[in-house]
mmCIF file of all heavy atoms in Angstrom:
data_model
loop_
_atom_site.group_PDB
_atom_site.id
_atom_site.type_symbol
_atom_site.label_atom_id
_atom_site.label_comp_id
_atom_site.label_asym_id
_atom_site.label_seq_id
_atom_site.Cartn_x
_atom_site.Cartn_y
_atom_site.Cartn_z
ATOM 1 N N ILE A 1503 -20.599 -12.793 8.178
ATOM 2 C CA ILE A 1503 -19.818 -12.285 7.044
ATOM 3 C C ILE A 1503 -19.311 -13.409 6.146
ATOM 4 O O ILE A 1503 -18.828 -13.142 5.038
ATOM 5 C CB ILE A 1503 -18.629 -11.415 7.500
ATOM 6 C CG1 ILE A 1503 -17.677 -12.202 8.403
ATOM 7 C CG2 ILE A 1503 -19.107 -10.139 8.149
ATOM 8 C CD1 ILE A 1503 -16.367 -11.486 8.644
ATOM 9 N N THR A 1504 -19.431 -14.657 6.588
ATOM 10 C CA THR A 1504 -19.031 -15.772 5.730
ATOM 11 C C THR A 1504 -20.170 -16.252 4.841
ATOM 12 O O THR A 1504 -20.041 -17.272 4.169
ATOM 13 C CB THR A 1504 -18.517 -16.953 6.577
ATOM 14 O OG1 THR A 1504 -19.573 -17.465 7.389
ATOM 15 C CG2 THR A 1504 -17.353 -16.527 7.467
ATOM 16 N N HIS A 1523 -15.062 -2.604 8.415
ATOM 17 C CA HIS A 1523 -15.032 -4.048 8.659
ATOM 18 C C HIS A 1523 -14.323 -4.380 9.983
ATOM 19 O O HIS A 1523 -13.112 -4.541 10.037
ATOM 20 C CB HIS A 1523 -14.340 -4.752 7.497
ATOM 21 C CG HIS A 1523 -14.203 -6.228 7.666
ATOM 22 N ND1 HIS A 1523 -15.150 -7.001 8.309
ATOM 23 C CD2 HIS A 1523 -13.202 -7.086 7.290
ATOM 24 C CE1 HIS A 1523 -14.755 -8.265 8.313
ATOM 25 N NE2 HIS A 1523 -13.573 -8.330 7.711
ATOM 26 N N ALA A 1525 -15.753 -6.985 12.092
ATOM 27 C CA ALA A 1525 -16.101 -8.341 12.506
ATOM 28 C C ALA A 1525 -14.880 -9.254 12.475
ATOM 29 O O ALA A 1525 -14.189 -9.359 11.463
ATOM 30 C CB ALA A 1525 -17.189 -8.901 11.595
ATOM 31 N N THR A 1541 -9.378 -18.569 11.325
ATOM 32 C CA THR A 1541 -9.184 -18.590 9.874
ATOM 33 C C THR A 1541 -10.518 -18.404 9.156
ATOM 34 O O THR A 1541 -10.608 -17.647 8.176
ATOM 35 C CB THR A 1541 -8.540 -19.914 9.441
ATOM 36 O OG1 THR A 1541 -7.289 -20.065 10.118
ATOM 37 C CG2 THR A 1541 -8.309 -19.948 7.940
ATOM 38 N N GLN A 1542 -11.540 -19.072 9.639
ATOM 39 C CA GLN A 1542 -12.856 -18.999 9.000
ATOM 40 C C GLN A 1542 -13.401 -17.571 9.021
ATOM 41 O O GLN A 1542 -13.828 -17.039 7.987
ATOM 42 C CB GLN A 1542 -13.833 -19.939 9.724
ATOM 43 C CG GLN A 1542 -15.264 -19.896 9.219
ATOM 44 C CD GLN A 1542 -15.453 -20.566 7.871
ATOM 45 O OE1 GLN A 1542 -14.514 -21.152 7.331
ATOM 46 N NE2 GLN A 1542 -16.657 -20.495 7.329
ATOM 47 N N THR A 1543 -13.384 -16.940 10.173
ATOM 48 C CA THR A 1543 -13.961 -15.597 10.282
ATOM 49 C C THR A 1543 -13.035 -14.526 9.736
ATOM 50 O O THR A 1543 -13.432 -13.703 8.903
ATOM 51 C CB THR A 1543 -14.292 -15.287 11.758
ATOM 52 O OG1 THR A 1543 -15.247 -16.231 12.241
ATOM 53 C CG2 THR A 1543 -14.855 -13.880 11.901
ATOM 54 N N ASN A 1544 -11.784 -14.541 10.186
ATOM 55 C CA ASN A 1544 -10.895 -13.414 9.898
ATOM 56 C C ASN A 1544 -10.376 -13.405 8.462
ATOM 57 O O ASN A 1544 -10.197 -12.334 7.876
ATOM 58 C CB ASN A 1544 -9.722 -13.411 10.873
ATOM 59 C CG ASN A 1544 -10.174 -13.246 12.314
ATOM 60 O OD1 ASN A 1544 -11.341 -12.998 12.579
ATOM 61 N ND2 ASN A 1544 -9.261 -13.397 13.251
ATOM 62 N N ILE A 1545 -10.123 -14.585 7.908
ATOM 63 C CA ILE A 1545 -9.614 -14.640 6.534
ATOM 64 C C ILE A 1545 -10.742 -14.891 5.540
ATOM 65 O O ILE A 1545 -10.980 -14.075 4.636
ATOM 66 C CB ILE A 1545 -8.516 -15.711 6.396
ATOM 67 C CG1 ILE A 1545 -7.297 -15.314 7.251
ATOM 68 C CG2 ILE A 1545 -8.105 -15.869 4.932
ATOM 69 C CD1 ILE A 1545 -6.140 -16.282 7.176
ATOM 70 N N PHE A 1546 -11.456 -16.005 5.698
ATOM 71 C CA PHE A 1546 -12.528 -16.301 4.744
ATOM 72 C C PHE A 1546 -13.625 -15.235 4.801
ATOM 73 O O PHE A 1546 -14.123 -14.787 3.753
ATOM 74 C CB PHE A 1546 -13.117 -17.686 5.008
ATOM 75 C CG PHE A 1546 -14.230 -18.060 4.077
ATOM 76 C CD1 PHE A 1546 -14.000 -18.232 2.726
ATOM 77 C CD2 PHE A 1546 -15.528 -18.212 4.548
ATOM 78 C CE1 PHE A 1546 -15.033 -18.563 1.849
ATOM 79 C CE2 PHE A 1546 -16.570 -18.546 3.698
ATOM 80 C CZ PHE A 1546 -16.319 -18.719 2.340
ATOM 81 N N GLY A 1547 -13.997 -14.802 6.002
ATOM 82 C CA GLY A 1547 -15.032 -13.772 6.125
ATOM 83 C C GLY A 1547 -14.628 -12.481 5.438
ATOM 84 O O GLY A 1547 -15.437 -11.833 4.759
ATOM 85 N N THR A 1548 -13.375 -12.085 5.601
ATOM 86 C CA THR A 1548 -12.885 -10.881 4.923
ATOM 87 C C THR A 1548 -12.903 -11.066 3.412
ATOM 88 O O THR A 1548 -13.259 -10.145 2.658
ATOM 89 C CB THR A 1548 -11.464 -10.535 5.408
ATOM 90 O OG1 THR A 1548 -11.498 -10.283 6.821
ATOM 91 C CG2 THR A 1548 -10.911 -9.315 4.687
ATOM 92 N N HIS A 1549 -12.536 -12.263 2.960
ATOM 93 C CA HIS A 1549 -12.533 -12.537 1.518
ATOM 94 C C HIS A 1549 -13.954 -12.443 0.947
ATOM 95 O O HIS A 1549 -14.172 -11.854 -0.122
ATOM 96 C CB HIS A 1549 -11.934 -13.920 1.263
ATOM 97 C CG HIS A 1549 -11.486 -14.124 -0.143
ATOM 98 N ND1 HIS A 1549 -10.787 -15.242 -0.557
ATOM 99 C CD2 HIS A 1549 -11.646 -13.366 -1.263
ATOM 100 C CE1 HIS A 1549 -10.532 -15.148 -1.845
ATOM 101 N NE2 HIS A 1549 -11.052 -14.026 -2.305
ATOM 102 N N VAL A 1550 -14.919 -13.012 1.659
ATOM 103 C CA VAL A 1550 -16.310 -12.915 1.217
ATOM 104 C C VAL A 1550 -16.734 -11.454 1.105
ATOM 105 O O VAL A 1550 -17.345 -11.028 0.117
ATOM 106 C CB VAL A 1550 -17.235 -13.667 2.194
ATOM 107 C CG1 VAL A 1550 -18.706 -13.320 1.929
ATOM 108 C CG2 VAL A 1550 -17.032 -15.173 2.083
ATOM 109 N N LEU A 1551 -16.397 -10.671 2.108
ATOM 110 C CA LEU A 1551 -16.792 -9.264 2.119
ATOM 111 C C LEU A 1551 -16.143 -8.496 0.975
ATOM 112 O O LEU A 1551 -16.787 -7.683 0.299
ATOM 113 C CB LEU A 1551 -16.405 -8.656 3.471
ATOM 114 C CG LEU A 1551 -17.099 -7.361 3.891
ATOM 115 C CD1 LEU A 1551 -18.610 -7.562 3.988
ATOM 116 C CD2 LEU A 1551 -16.546 -6.889 5.225
ATOM 117 N N LEU A 1552 -14.867 -8.769 0.721
ATOM 118 C CA LEU A 1552 -14.166 -8.108 -0.376
ATOM 119 C C LEU A 1552 -14.771 -8.478 -1.731
ATOM 120 O O LEU A 1552 -14.979 -7.610 -2.592
ATOM 121 C CB LEU A 1552 -12.685 -8.497 -0.352
ATOM 122 C CG LEU A 1552 -11.821 -7.865 0.733
ATOM 123 C CD1 LEU A 1552 -10.505 -8.627 0.866
ATOM 124 C CD2 LEU A 1552 -11.550 -6.390 0.433
ATOM 125 N N GLU A 1553 -15.033 -9.748 -1.927
ATOM 126 C CA GLU A 1553 -15.574 -10.189 -3.216
ATOM 127 C C GLU A 1553 -16.971 -9.621 -3.440
ATOM 128 O O GLU A 1553 -17.313 -9.193 -4.550
ATOM 129 C CB GLU A 1553 -15.595 -11.716 -3.268
ATOM 130 C CG GLU A 1553 -15.986 -12.296 -4.622
ATOM 131 C CD GLU A 1553 -15.000 -11.958 -5.738
ATOM 132 O OE1 GLU A 1553 -13.825 -11.612 -5.444
ATOM 133 O OE2 GLU A 1553 -15.401 -12.034 -6.909
ATOM 134 N N SER A 1554 -17.774 -9.610 -2.385
ATOM 135 C CA SER A 1554 -19.111 -9.021 -2.506
ATOM 136 C C SER A 1554 -19.022 -7.532 -2.799
ATOM 137 O O SER A 1554 -19.774 -6.998 -3.626
ATOM 138 C CB SER A 1554 -19.911 -9.260 -1.215
ATOM 139 O OG SER A 1554 -20.106 -10.641 -0.988
ATOM 140 N N PHE A 1564 -13.601 1.062 1.727
ATOM 141 C CA PHE A 1564 -13.573 -0.209 2.470
ATOM 142 C C PHE A 1564 -12.469 -0.063 3.515
ATOM 143 O O PHE A 1564 -11.291 -0.098 3.185
ATOM 144 C CB PHE A 1564 -13.277 -1.372 1.515
ATOM 145 C CG PHE A 1564 -13.395 -2.738 2.136
ATOM 146 C CD1 PHE A 1564 -14.429 -3.597 1.780
ATOM 147 C CD2 PHE A 1564 -12.465 -3.187 3.078
ATOM 148 C CE1 PHE A 1564 -14.531 -4.866 2.336
ATOM 149 C CE2 PHE A 1564 -12.565 -4.442 3.648
ATOM 150 C CZ PHE A 1564 -13.598 -5.281 3.274
ATOM 151 N N HIS A 1566 -10.621 -1.615 6.489
ATOM 152 C CA HIS A 1566 -10.369 -2.910 7.124
ATOM 153 C C HIS A 1566 -9.659 -2.703 8.464
ATOM 154 O O HIS A 1566 -8.617 -2.048 8.529
ATOM 155 C CB HIS A 1566 -9.504 -3.791 6.224
ATOM 156 C CG HIS A 1566 -9.138 -5.091 6.854
ATOM 157 N ND1 HIS A 1566 -10.057 -6.101 7.051
ATOM 158 C CD2 HIS A 1566 -7.955 -5.547 7.372
ATOM 159 C CE1 HIS A 1566 -9.450 -7.125 7.631
ATOM 160 N NE2 HIS A 1566 -8.188 -6.805 7.843
ATOM 161 N N THR A 1599 -3.906 -14.637 11.301
ATOM 162 C CA THR A 1599 -5.103 -14.533 10.460
ATOM 163 C C THR A 1599 -5.411 -13.079 10.115
ATOM 164 O O THR A 1599 -5.892 -12.786 9.016
ATOM 165 C CB THR A 1599 -6.330 -15.172 11.126
ATOM 166 O OG1 THR A 1599 -6.633 -14.505 12.368
ATOM 167 C CG2 THR A 1599 -6.105 -16.655 11.393
ATOM 168 N N LYS A 1600 -5.115 -12.166 11.028
ATOM 169 C CA LYS A 1600 -5.323 -10.753 10.721
ATOM 170 C C LYS A 1600 -4.339 -10.280 9.647
ATOM 171 O O LYS A 1600 -4.695 -9.489 8.766
ATOM 172 C CB LYS A 1600 -5.196 -9.905 11.980
ATOM 173 C CG LYS A 1600 -6.292 -10.153 13.009
ATOM 174 C CD LYS A 1600 -7.683 -9.848 12.484
ATOM 175 C CE LYS A 1600 -7.927 -8.359 12.380
ATOM 176 N NZ LYS A 1600 -9.344 -8.065 11.986
ATOM 177 N N GLY A 1602 -3.037 -12.254 7.346
ATOM 178 C CA GLY A 1602 -3.521 -12.871 6.115
ATOM 179 C C GLY A 1602 -4.661 -12.090 5.497
ATOM 180 O O GLY A 1602 -4.717 -11.886 4.277
ATOM 181 N N ALA A 1603 -5.582 -11.627 6.336
ATOM 182 C CA ALA A 1603 -6.700 -10.821 5.840
ATOM 183 C C ALA A 1603 -6.197 -9.522 5.222
ATOM 184 O O ALA A 1603 -6.711 -9.065 4.193
ATOM 185 C CB ALA A 1603 -7.674 -10.527 6.978
ATOM 186 N N GLU A 1604 -5.169 -8.930 5.832
ATOM 187 C CA GLU A 1604 -4.593 -7.702 5.275
ATOM 188 C C GLU A 1604 -4.077 -7.918 3.853
ATOM 189 O O GLU A 1604 -4.265 -7.066 2.973
ATOM 190 C CB GLU A 1604 -3.450 -7.190 6.149
ATOM 191 C CG GLU A 1604 -3.885 -6.455 7.396
ATOM 192 C CD GLU A 1604 -2.753 -5.610 7.956
ATOM 193 O OE1 GLU A 1604 -1.889 -5.194 7.160
ATOM 194 O OE2 GLU A 1604 -2.750 -5.369 9.174
ATOM 195 N N LEU A 1606 -5.130 -10.022 1.673
ATOM 196 C CA LEU A 1606 -6.280 -10.070 0.776
ATOM 197 C C LEU A 1606 -6.771 -8.660 0.449
ATOM 198 O O LEU A 1606 -7.050 -8.330 -0.711
ATOM 199 C CB LEU A 1606 -7.412 -10.880 1.415
ATOM 200 C CG LEU A 1606 -7.316 -12.392 1.305
ATOM 201 C CD1 LEU A 1606 -8.328 -13.057 2.219
ATOM 202 C CD2 LEU A 1606 -7.535 -12.838 -0.140
ATOM 203 N N VAL A 1607 -6.875 -7.819 1.480
ATOM 204 C CA VAL A 1607 -7.333 -6.447 1.271
ATOM 205 C C VAL A 1607 -6.402 -5.711 0.309
ATOM 206 O O VAL A 1607 -6.841 -5.043 -0.639
ATOM 207 C CB VAL A 1607 -7.423 -5.699 2.621
ATOM 208 C CG1 VAL A 1607 -7.747 -4.222 2.401
ATOM 209 C CG2 VAL A 1607 -8.477 -6.334 3.518
ATOM 210 N N TYR A 1610 -6.912 -6.746 -3.318
ATOM 211 C CA TYR A 1610 -8.095 -6.180 -3.964
ATOM 212 C C TYR A 1610 -7.891 -4.702 -4.299
ATOM 213 O O TYR A 1610 -8.452 -4.191 -5.272
ATOM 214 C CB TYR A 1610 -9.335 -6.381 -3.086
ATOM 215 C CG TYR A 1610 -10.008 -7.718 -3.329
ATOM 216 C CD1 TYR A 1610 -9.406 -8.908 -2.910
ATOM 217 C CD2 TYR A 1610 -11.228 -7.812 -3.992
ATOM 218 C CE1 TYR A 1610 -9.989 -10.135 -3.150
ATOM 219 C CE2 TYR A 1610 -11.836 -9.033 -4.238
ATOM 220 C CZ TYR A 1610 -11.204 -10.197 -3.811
ATOM 221 O OH TYR A 1610 -11.793 -11.415 -4.056
#
Side-chain angles (χ1 to χ4, degrees):
I1503 59 168
T1504 64
H1523 178 34
T1541 302
Q1542 176 73 5
T1543 299
N1544 298 352
I1545 295 181
F1546 180 65
T1548 299
H1549 198 173
V1550 167
L1551 199 60
L1552 286 164
E1553 187 64 20
S1554 297
F1564 187 110
H1566 176 71
T1599 61
K1600 293 299 286 185
E1604 281 198 28
L1606 279 168
V1607 174
Y1610 273 71

